[in-house]
Amino acid sequence: MASSILILNGPNLNMLGRREPGIYGRASLDDIRDACVQKATALGLSADFRQSNHEGELVGWIQEAAGRFDGIIINAAAYTHTSVALRDALLAVALPAIEVHLSNIHAREDFRRHSYLGPAVRGMVAGFGAQSYLLAIDAIAHILNETTD
Ligand code: CA2
């Protein structure tokens, strides 16, 4: 059976393409979802792409992922820099997870340089705009292939 991945997006990412194109690019979240589904399909994966402005909803989706998905890609947006709850949820489900950011969080304000998710993910892709998501899908496909070989 095809592996399936859950792609999660945190607060305000629903506004992509409408504000701050200089930092986050012109692609809308719908554009990114379409590109992710296309990329995942090309790699033989199925992808479920979701966004929430609520930390608890994101925690719930991560908890429910156990047994339903084979891996998680997450752009936790501002919760990256604040959320012990998301970190604990990712550690609890123990699925391979990759952190994604559109912008290079190390080239911005100091508070963005720390990610609470770091210890709960296999790696992080940041700074390539919408392409960060596609690179993360490549990475998770590689991880899932290693696990099924
Ligand atoms: O670069 C990223 O992907 C971020 O996760 C985006 C977050 C930010 O808090 C992180 O430090 C880095 C912000 C998402 C907000 O998205 C907006 C989109 C359009 C207009 C305003 C905000």
Side-chain angles (χ1 to χ4, degrees):
M1 214 173 68
S3 293
S4 73
I5 56 172
L6 178 61
I7 306 176
L8 294 179
N9 295 279
N12 297 308
L13 286 167
N14 53 312
M15 307 217 300
L16 279 178
R18 289 183 249 162
R19 304 260 165 84
E20 304 201 59
I23 300 177
Y24 298 121
R26 295 202 174 275
S28 69
L29 198 60
D30 283 350
D31 294 334
I32 295 175
R33 183 201 57 219
D34 292 349
C36 284
V37 169
Q38 197 178 357
K39 172 81 180 179
T41 305
L43 293 173
L45 303 172
S46 69
D48 189 336
F49 190 97
R50 304 180 193 173
Q51 187 272 336
S52 177
N53 291 325
H54 303 280
E55 186 176 21
E57 186 163 38
L58 293 162
V59 168
W61 286 340
I62 293 169
Q63 289 178 0
E64 289 165 13
R68 297 185 193 182
F69 292 94
D70 301 294
I72 296 175
I73 291 171
I74 182 165
N75 183 350
Y79 291 144
T80 305
H81 318 296
T82 62
S83 181
V84 178
L86 287 176
R87 171 200 186 121
D88 287 349
L90 287 168
L91 288 170
V93 295
L95 289 169
I98 297 180
E99 177 179 344
V100 163
H101 298 286
L102 296 155
S103 63
N104 177 357
I105 57 173
H106 294 287
R108 300 182 63 194
E109 302 95 328
D110 274 354
F111 71 84
R112 294 189 202 275
R113 301 197 66 189
H114 177 258
S115 168
Y116 277 95
L117 307 190
V121 295
R122 296 286 189 94
M124 193 251 279
V125 185
F128 302 102
Q131 186 74 17
S132 292
Y133 286 75
L134 307 184
L135 293 168
I137 293 172
D138 266 330
I140 207 140
H142 186 71
I143 290 167
L144 295 176
N145 276 338
E146 277 178 344
T147 343
T148 49
D149 279 349

